[in-house]
Structure formats: C-alpha cells, structure tokens
Amino acid sequence: MLELMQKIIFQVTGKSDITYDTDFIQDLALNSFDIMNIISAFEDQFDISIPTRDVWKLHQVKDAIAYMRNRGIDSPS
Amino acid sequence: MAIPVSIYVSANCRPHASTNLLLAGVKKWCASSGRAQADFSLVRPEYGKPYFENAPDIQFSVTHSGDFWLCAISTQPVGLDLQQTQPVSTLKIARRFFHPNEVEYLEAHPDAFFAVWAAKESFVKLTGRGIDDDFSSFSVVSGGRIGQALDGTQFRLLPFSPGYTLCLCCRFSAAITITEITEIPNSPV
C-alpha cells in the first residue's frame, strides 16, 4: 500500500521520499488544493468517495493508509 | 472610503517558517499603521480562523503555493489564496468541488480553473469555514464572471508572479499594498 501511495503522490505533486510518517503539510509543504488533488487521485485509484470532512483527519501517509484499510481497501485495485 | 489591506510576500514557503513569517508581517503592519507592537500570541482553534490572543482585532489570512508564502493583514476580515498553475484534470476536480454555475463558467473559460479555486478558497478563509463538504454549495461566479457575489463579498484577482493566481476576498473596498519580507525568520515556533 505504501508503494502505491508513493506512486500516486509523486504523480500528483512530484514529491518523492515518502514514508509512513510523512506529513502532507509539514513535510511536503502541500496546500489545500494539492491535498484535494491527491484525494481525487486516491478516489480514482481505489474507486471510492472520500468525504471532505474526512480529508482533514489524514495528516500523515500512515493516516491515509489506515483510512483506506478501514474502508476495506488493503491492496491495490 | 477604502480600507487598507497589506499583503506581505516571502519567497520562503517552508511550512515551519509560516508562523514566524506571519509575526514578521504583523510587526511590519504595526510599524506602518502606527500601532504599538506587542508579543503576539497566535491561537489556532480546532474550528474557525486563527487569531492573536492579545490582538483579536487584527485580521489576517495566510496562503502558500509553489515558491511563495503570503499573508494579508487588515482591520477587517480578509481571505487570501494563492495557487500555482499546474496541469490537473480540471473538469474532474471541478465537478466534485465547484458549484454548477462555476462548472459551466469553466467549460466556457478553460483557463479559469485556478482563478475559480483561488476565489472559492479565499471566501472560505474569509468566513473561517474552510474547505468542507459544502465547498460546492456556493458560487463565486455571478453575472458570467468572477466578481462581486455572495451578499456583497468582493473577489479581487491580483497580478502576481507568472504561473500563479492570487485572489483577495473581502466585504469592503480595499486599498491594497504588497510588501516583500526579505528577512527570513529561521527558528520554527
């Protein structure tokens, strides 16, 4: 799952060196639009809808991975 | 009569420097407006806009994108948003986050995606609601353009560095000045 996240984040933002602990704002310097752009890519990749209210709970990459797993996604679709 | 709005710009967009840059901007604003400086204490509530505990009347809005960090400071509420233009699936994102009027506007003006986004985000910064599930429930497009809408709210698309879109949102006539912050605060707060 981490490798897939790394791939999506790189494709959307050009940022690399992504780990479980990478913080989207503090480490990657992403702004709100960048984050929504990544979320849209996650939705496309995993064929789910992510409510905007949930987006702001996903501070780090590991939060996004845990969120996907809670939504029943544990492997690349 | 126009109300002054000071916009401070820095080419340092490191997230850890944001608070120090804001404090540097407020100090400059105090100096230029003849206001006594103080040790400003920034409060970040879980919901709503951040504010200075000992100076809640100072209104500000912070934004960063690409290579730049900016803040707008005034005595009245303001919202500021900067977006670096980049290749994105504009219509796909617009259909999720934009009002139908904005999607229609974008279909006629394909290059306006970041102007619409910056206007919308500047509005939710003005109100303090932030980007939420209602982000698509309001339109910044009125009368076929991005402009005065939403009960007197004004959207000012301001000239900025090539490749960027900058929008100031306020509910008054603004006299805007833009000042660069050249000294870079180093230590994170």
Side-chain angles (χ1 to χ4, degrees):
Chain A
M1 181 69 92
L2 177 62
E3 285 185 13
L4 185 56
M5 291 279 178
Q6 290 170 327
K7 181 181 172 186
I8 294 171
I9 293 168
F10 179 75
Q11 285 175 341
V12 174
T13 69
K15 308 276 188 182
S16 54
D17 297 329
I18 307 296
T19 71
Y20 285 104
D21 294 327
T22 297
D23 187 292
F24 292 113
I25 294 175
Q26 295 300 321
D27 296 326
L28 300 183
L30 302 182
N31 65 16
S32 298
F33 173 77
D34 298 325
I35 290 171
M36 292 305 166
N37 203 10
I38 289 176
I39 293 300
S40 292
F42 286 168
E43 290 181 326
D44 285 349
Q45 176 68 43
F46 301 116
D47 194 23
I48 60 170
S49 175
I50 303 174
T52 305
R53 62 179 172 277
D54 288 348
V55 172
W56 305 118
K57 300 172 187 171
L58 311 179
H59 303 290
Q60 297 178 319
V61 170
K62 62 187 174 190
D63 299 329
I65 292 174
Y67 181 84
M68 297 304 170
R69 286 181 174 151
N70 285 338
R71 295 285 301 268
I73 298 164
D74 204 18
S75 59
S77 59
Chain B
M1 183 176 149
I3 297 174
V5 175
S6 299
I7 296 176
Y8 297 96
V9 182
S10 172
N12 174 10
C13 64
R14 291 177 298 131
H16 294 293
S18 183
T19 300
N20 279 348
L21 285 166
L22 175 60
L23 294 174
V26 168
K27 285 182 180 177
K28 284 181 176 290
W29 182 80
C30 287
S32 65
S33 58
R35 179 177 173 131
Q37 296 191 16
D39 290 328
F40 294 108
S41 175
L42 186 63
V43 179
R44 300 177 189 274
E46 185 174 0
Y47 301 103
K49 304 171 74 168
Y51 61 92
F52 292 114
E53 187 173 41
N54 46 352
D57 57 312
I58 297 177
Q59 304 288 325
F60 60 90
S61 179
V62 173
T63 183
H64 76 275
S65 185
D67 296 328
F68 295 99
W69 174 100
L70 294 84
C71 75
I73 303 177
S74 185
T75 55
Q76 297 294 318
V78 289
L80 186 72
D81 193 66
L82 176 73
Q83 293 297 332
Q84 182 180 31
T85 303
Q86 54 188 291
V88 294
S89 302
T90 54
L91 275 178
K92 179 170 73 75
I93 294 175
R95 289 189 179 112
R96 167 170 174 169
F97 291 105
F98 287 6
H99 186 277
N101 288 353
E102 295 165 340
V103 175
E104 185 180 353
Y105 179 79
L106 192 62
E107 287 169 346
H109 305 86
D111 295 335
F113 175 83
F114 285 100
V116 174
W117 184 283
K120 288 179 77 68
E121 192 164 347
S122 69
F123 177 71
V124 298
K125 287 179 175 177
L126 172 82
T127 62
R129 66 197 263 185
I131 298 176
D132 58 18
D133 290 319
D134 293 329
F135 198 59
S136 62
S137 69
F138 65 90
S139 174
V140 299
V141 172
S142 174
R145 67 183 182 91
I146 302 168
Q148 190 156 343
L150 300 166
D151 299 327
T153 303
Q154 298 180 18
F155 299 94
R156 297 274 299 272
L157 291 166
L158 304 171
F160 195 66
S161 184
Y164 289 84
T165 300
L166 177 63
C167 186
L168 175 73
C169 180
C170 58
R171 291 190 167 119
F172 54 86
S173 176
I176 300 166
T177 57
I178 298 180
T179 304
E180 186 177 0
I181 297 177
T182 51
E183 68 273 26
I184 307 299
N186 288 318
S187 58
V189 172

